[in-house]
Amino acid sequence: MATDPTMRWACTHGMWVTGTAGPREYAAALLDYTVRDGIAERITCPTLVCSAQGDFAFQGQPEQLYDHLTCEKTFLEFTEEEGGDAHCQSGTPGDGPYR
């Protein structure tokens, strides 16, 4: 965190969101956030699941969630060609189709 502003933001923002006091407590709290063991199957509202072709953090996880959903669902993958292939579908310089 001391040398990487992206990591510093991710940790401090995550600690704020989860109400945790430090990076270790935040990492432990993340274990409580899961859709395993039938939780995803209990979602009943229509759900949009987005994936980014070049996501460095969650590669494959959107597809796993989509496979477990039993509700009405839509899957949307953002590609490099579209300019939204990075984590959180970012990457477009402003002149792509999603501006």
Side-chain angles (χ1 to χ4, degrees), residues 48-66:
L48 171 64
V49 178
C50 296
S51 178
Q53 194 176 52
D55 192 332
F56 66 90
F58 300 114
Q59 195 70 41
Q61 289 185 17
E63 293 82 358
Q64 289 175 4
L65 171 61
Y66 184 83

Side-chain angles (χ1 to χ4, degrees), residues 26-76:
Y26 167 56
L30 290 179
L31 298 174
D32 293 335
Y33 293 88
T34 181
V35 292
R36 288 189 305 261
D37 304 324
I39 292 175
E41 288 79 359
R42 293 171 45 196
I43 297 171
T44 59
C45 64
T47 303
L48 171 64
V49 178
C50 296
S51 178
Q53 194 176 52
D55 192 332
F56 66 90
F58 300 114
Q59 195 70 41
Q61 289 185 17
E63 293 82 358
Q64 289 175 4
L65 171 61
Y66 184 83
D67 290 344
H68 282 272
L69 291 171
T70 57
C71 59
E72 181 183 334
K73 59 188 178 179
T74 303
F75 186 83
L76 180 59

